[in-house]
Amino acid sequence: MTMTVTPKPPRARRRLAPILLWAACLLATASLVAGEEYHDEEPHPDPNEEEYSGMVYVGRMDDDGRRAGFHVDNGIKYIFGTGFDETHKEIEEADLYHNEHYGPDAYHDVPDRAHGKTREQILHEKRRGELDLSKGPKPFGWFEEHPLDGGAVPPRVVRVDPFFIDEAPVTNKEYGKFVRATYYETEAEKYGWSFVLSSFLPNAEELEEAEVDPEAEDWVAVDKAYWRNPEGPGTSYKYRENHPVTHVSHRDAAEYCKWVGKRLPGEREWEAAARAGHYGPQNRTLYAWGEDASVEVSKQHANLWGEGAFPWENKAEDGWRATSPVKSFQPNGFGLFDMTGNVWEWVRGGKHKNRIVRGGSYVDSFDGSFNHAATLGARATLHGTTTTGNVGFRCVKSPKKRVEYHYVYEGEEENASPQLVMEGADGNRRYSQQNSGGSKYYLNDDDDEFDDEDENHDHDPTKPRPDERRGRKKVVKPRTLTSDEL
């Protein structure tokens, strides 16, 4: 009998073989995971198959007039801000074009024609000390307003993701269903009063002892005024069920939107819908109906005060002295009603003491000679608990997207919450505070993964290695939300 003896490989070679085998298995597993995360994911739902009663889709359309899917940049770029600042004409149409580079970082590539430089160039000069900071730094969240309509100065190119928006403000009838179903108590009811226009008081004697808003003396604090009693005791919302609900705070509006499965619109979403496709420097208009500031034209499109002296003389050229039923005037190009006039509308953003309202109301003028100019850039801020007879709201809803997943190790779930990145006007990003605690599971650095004392280095690649002490699981991938509206 002939016996063949195979030489035993050196100890280093015996140790290297299972390591290489383990690395190959790990590489194959990583490829499989990557395939599961990116290549084998479910496609995004088709936005053309999604419809909601009483809502209008606002987003990018393809050449065939169909809604662009999420496999491309299907958001909207437009010039955001006041219409009174002529610098919007310096913005080029090319800045509004869509390209393959989009996402949170794409905003830095948008040129600011008002300053003649991109944001990245401004940041570069700031770091090198080349900017004139003699006027002093601006606090985070600073918003420069135009004195006539309160719109952003200077106008600038912004982008919003597609969304659905209510075609009209929420009415008294709709809000009543919410209150009856949830027994909700508005903040005006809790505090026991709300603001009413002085000329609408049932009894003129109340003006002598009434408290007024120090920043708007024509608005009087009336006890027991709320959405059911718009002008106080003795008045009713009956026969005004199709008028926009008023005397609701920012929280009251947000609670209703949550109840119906929607949310308040972002400020930029709201303006994108109000401008209705008039997004570029060539077709941008001052008002929802164009540039004509005459009563004869505006009374067909919006409920405004008109030519009478505010607050005692309202000639009702448009047929109404106060709020009007929704859909009483012509819609804009997207089929949305009352985007200008009737009532201001709460939107997301701002701070609690300075919540944002958009659109103007029935007490506003064309040119800003009294109150605000009712332009497409009309903007104001109110305390979040403010309730008054000329502020309402409407809701929006985001289109459905696919649920994206990734893998986390055991103990990392606590840090998998969405990260909010707040971006200031200077381009600096500030990250919201997150739980910085590390994983409770870790490997002891003092332990050698490959113990010299262990001579048995054969490893089954289908089973976890001894050094793989943490399990992993597939979880929903968090999204990074970029916002400069805070």
Side-chain angles (χ1 to χ4, degrees):
M1 176 182 291
T2 303
M3 180 179 294
T4 302
V5 178
T6 303
K8 191 175 183 180
R11 184 175 183 180
R13 186 177 300 174
R14 284 188 286 117
R15 291 184 176 181
L16 183 60
I19 295 176
L20 294 176
L21 178 61
W22 173 76
C25 294
L26 183 62
L27 186 61
T29 304
S31 302
L32 178 61
V33 171
E36 291 175 356
E37 280 189 319
Y38 304 106
H39 301 294
D40 296 335
E41 288 180 334
E42 293 287 336
H44 282 292
D46 186 355
N48 294 282
E49 299 177 356
E50 194 172 358
E51 295 292 346
Y52 298 99
S53 176
M55 303 193 79
V56 174
Y57 180 83
V58 180
R60 181 183 175 190
M61 300 291 184
D62 59 22
D63 295 336
D64 297 329
R66 290 173 54 81
R67 301 169 187 171
F70 286 97
H71 61 285
V72 297
D73 180 8
N74 60 353
I76 288 178
K77 290 182 179 180
Y78 72 99
I79 303 176
F80 169 86
T82 181
F84 289 111
D85 193 321
E86 296 296 324
T87 57
H88 75 267
K89 297 180 180 179
E90 301 175 12
I91 298 175
E92 297 180 2
E93 291 284 351
D95 298 336
L96 303 177
Y97 293 162
H98 293 264
N99 51 57
E100 296 182 357
H101 177 44
Y102 64 95
D105 296 328
Y107 188 59
H108 289 276
D109 300 334
V110 178
D112 184 354
R113 302 297 177 185
H115 299 97
K117 301 172 184 177
T118 66
R119 295 179 54 144
E120 290 295 337
Q121 289 174 327
I122 293 175
L123 290 175
H124 178 71
E125 293 181 358
K126 179 181 178 181
R127 297 187 188 102
R128 299 180 60 184
E130 299 176 2
L131 291 182
D132 181 13
L133 302 178
S134 59
K135 296 182 180 180
K138 298 293 189 295
F140 178 65
W142 173 264
F143 190 96
E144 187 173 354
E145 301 177 354
H146 194 277
L148 294 179
D149 64 358
V153 177
R156 54 187 178 273
V157 174
V158 299
R159 180 193 175 279
V160 294
D161 287 325
F163 58 94
F164 292 89
I165 184 169
D166 287 344
E167 60 184 2
V170 175
T171 64
N172 285 312
K173 183 177 181 180
E174 292 168 332
Y175 202 79
K177 293 179 180 178
F178 160 64
V179 171
R180 288 191 294 271
T182 62
Y183 298 95
Y184 183 79
E185 185 181 26
T186 63
E187 294 196 295
E189 295 173 82
K190 294 178 182 178
Y191 297 138
W193 62 274
S194 188
F195 285 117
V196 177
L197 189 63
S198 57
S199 58
F200 290 171
L201 291 179
N203 300 316
E205 294 79 8
E206 296 181 24
L207 283 175
E208 299 178 1
E209 301 179 357
E211 296 183 10
V212 299
D213 185 344
E215 298 182 359
E217 297 183 354
D218 297 312
W219 291 91
V220 180
V222 176
D223 291 340
K224 298 182 179 180
Y226 70 112
W227 71 274
R228 276 197 172 106
N229 300 332
E231 288 78 45
T235 63
S236 174
Y237 77 102
K238 297 297 183 181
Y239 304 105
R240 286 185 273 184
E241 291 184 329
N242 290 325
H243 288 229
V245 65
T246 56
H247 298 283
V248 288
S249 67
H250 188 272
R251 179 177 180 179
D252 298 334
E255 290 288 352
Y256 172 89
C257 291
K258 181 179 180 181
W259 181 68
V260 295
K262 304 175 185 177
R263 59 175 174 82
L264 285 175
E267 181 179 7
R268 294 179 177 180
E269 289 177 329
W270 191 97
E271 187 168 328
R275 293 197 175 277
H278 296 170
Y279 296 147
Q282 304 301 323
N283 66 349
R284 197 170 189 258
T285 60
L286 186 61
Y287 303 105
W289 55 88
E291 301 291 336
D292 195 325
S294 66
V295 175
E296 292 300 318
V297 174
S298 69
K299 69 181 183 181
Q300 304 174 31
H301 299 270
N303 178 4
L304 301 173
W305 191 265
E307 296 180 342
F310 180 82
W312 299 102
E313 183 185 8
N314 189 332
K315 299 179 181 180
E317 294 97 341
D318 52 25
W320 304 93
R321 292 185 63 242
T323 60
S324 57
V326 299
K327 302 182 182 181
S328 296
F329 299 88
Q330 296 182 16
N332 68 5
F334 283 172
L336 302 173
F337 298 86
D338 293 330
M339 296 300 287
T340 294
N342 211 359
V343 292
W344 288 96
E345 298 181 14
W346 291 112
V347 297
R348 291 187 304 163
K351 300 179 181 179
H352 184 62
K353 294 182 178 180
N354 292 283
R355 293 295 186 185
I356 304 168
V357 290
R358 296 299 307 265
S361 74
Y362 60 85
V363 303
D364 291 307
S365 60
F366 295 110
D367 54 5
S369 55
F370 58 88
N371 299 327
H372 282 73
T375 68
L376 288 171
R379 181 185 190 271
T381 56
L382 302 171
H383 194 286
T385 60
T386 299
T387 58
T388 180
N390 69 329
V391 176
F393 69 99
R394 75 179 74 206
C395 307
V396 302
K397 189 178 184 70
S398 299
K400 295 178 181 178
K401 295 183 180 180
R402 70 184 177 199
V403 179
E404 298 184 352
Y405 298 90
H406 71 154
Y407 289 91
V408 297
Y409 283 99
E410 189 175 5
E412 293 181 348
E413 297 89 342
E414 58 187 7
N415 293 327
S417 57
Q419 179 79 6
L420 177 62
V421 183
M422 294 173 286
E423 184 174 285
D426 57 359
N428 291 332
R429 291 187 173 190
R430 296 164 177 82
Y431 292 82
S432 60
Q433 294 183 355
Q434 300 288 324
N435 186 356
S436 59
S439 173
K440 299 178 181 178
Y441 300 88
Y442 59 92
L443 290 175
N444 190 342
D445 294 335
D446 296 333
D447 293 339
D448 188 0
E449 295 182 3
F450 308 104
D451 193 354
D452 290 339
E453 300 296 327
D454 185 7
E455 294 294 336
N456 183 15
H457 296 283
D458 295 333
H459 172 62
D460 185 354
T462 63
K463 297 181 181 180
R465 289 179 52 82
D467 56 292
E468 293 179 340
R469 301 194 180 111
R470 294 185 301 172
R472 68 170 190 172
K473 67 178 182 179
K474 191 175 183 180
V475 299
V476 176
K477 186 177 182 180
R479 295 176 180 174
T480 298
L481 309 176
T482 304
S483 172
D484 61 358
E485 296 180 355
L486 302 180

